[in-house]
């Protein structure tokens, strides 16, 4: 029997919601199919285009399909990921690829993004809805990510 993928552990909520390193090499299509099969919404952040706060917020707004009224600042991002009324689902998974680009170029922005996503996971849990962020290609070992 094959080992369970971290995404499967997430979808089955065998690990607590939060922000995790995600060593999987599975294709986005495979991850998307697994999430959809479970009734979850998967959001994809392509970190190759993210190297500072502005590019992170722009990419996140697109990835989460946020309404046009959502501003390009941390407060607006935080409010939006704690709302998601336009993307209702049984659970949420964010795949953030190539996160090292932001972590290396703007560690403060990376830390803020992780903090907001971690808080969103805690807030969604209070609503009974799981919210996970899975980070592939994280940079520094000391980055504040769960294993």
């Amino acid at each position: 029997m094959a080992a369970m993928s971290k995404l499967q552990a997430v979808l089955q909520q065998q690990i607590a919601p939060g922000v995790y390193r995600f060593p999987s090499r599975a294709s986005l299509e495979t991850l998307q199919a697994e999430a959809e099969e479970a009734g979850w919404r998967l959001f994809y952040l392509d970190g190759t285009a993210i190297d500072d706060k502005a590019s992170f917020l722009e990419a996140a707004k697109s990835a989460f399909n946020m309404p046009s009224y959502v501003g390009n600042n941390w407060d607006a991002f935080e409010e939006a990921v704690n709302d998601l009324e336009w993307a209702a689902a049984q659970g949420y998974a964010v795949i953030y690829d190539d996160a090292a680009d932001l972590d290396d170029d703007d560690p403060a922005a990376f830390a803020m993004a992780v903090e907001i996503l971690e808080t969103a996971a805690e807030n969604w849990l209070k609503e009974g809805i799981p919210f996970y962020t899975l980070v592939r290609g994280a940079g520094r070992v000391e980055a504040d990510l769960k294993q």
Side-chain angles (χ1 to χ4, degrees):
M1 184 164 146
M4 179 181 298
S5 74
K6 185 166 267 184
L7 183 60
Q8 284 298 320
V10 162
L11 295 173
Q12 295 174 20
Q13 298 176 58
Q14 295 181 354
I15 56 177
V19 181
Y20 292 89
R21 290 184 187 278
F22 187 54
S24 171
R25 290 192 200 110
S27 71
L28 180 58
E29 292 76 20
T30 298
L31 298 171
Q32 187 78 46
E34 287 182 19
E36 285 176 9
E37 189 176 310
W40 285 43
R41 192 74 186 255
L42 186 136
F43 302 108
Y44 178 71
L45 281 168
D46 178 0
T48 60
I50 301 172
D51 59 8
D52 61 12
K53 172 185 174 181
S55 57
F56 175 86
L57 292 170
E58 184 177 317
K61 193 169 179 177
S62 175
F64 285 86
N65 197 25
M66 293 178 181
S68 58
Y69 61 78
V70 174
N72 290 323
N73 58 67
W74 288 125
D75 289 342
F77 172 66
E78 182 171 26
E79 188 174 312
V81 297
N82 283 285
D83 179 356
L84 297 175
E85 70 177 342
W86 61 90
Q90 294 176 12
Y92 299 103
V94 180
I95 304 294
Y96 182 2
D97 272 343
D98 296 301
D101 291 3
L102 180 60
D103 193 19
D104 291 343
D105 293 342
D106 192 345
F110 182 76
M112 179 60 76
V114 167
E115 181 181 325
I116 289 170
L117 292 164
E118 186 70 47
T119 300
E122 294 166 9
N123 291 338
W124 280 107
L125 188 57
K126 293 173 190 166
E127 301 295 321
I129 297 173
F131 183 101
Y132 293 83
T133 301
L134 304 174
V135 180
R136 296 200 282 196
R140 301 165 296 121
V141 173
E142 65 271 14
D144 188 23
L145 300 174
K146 298 172 185 158
Q147 294 300 322

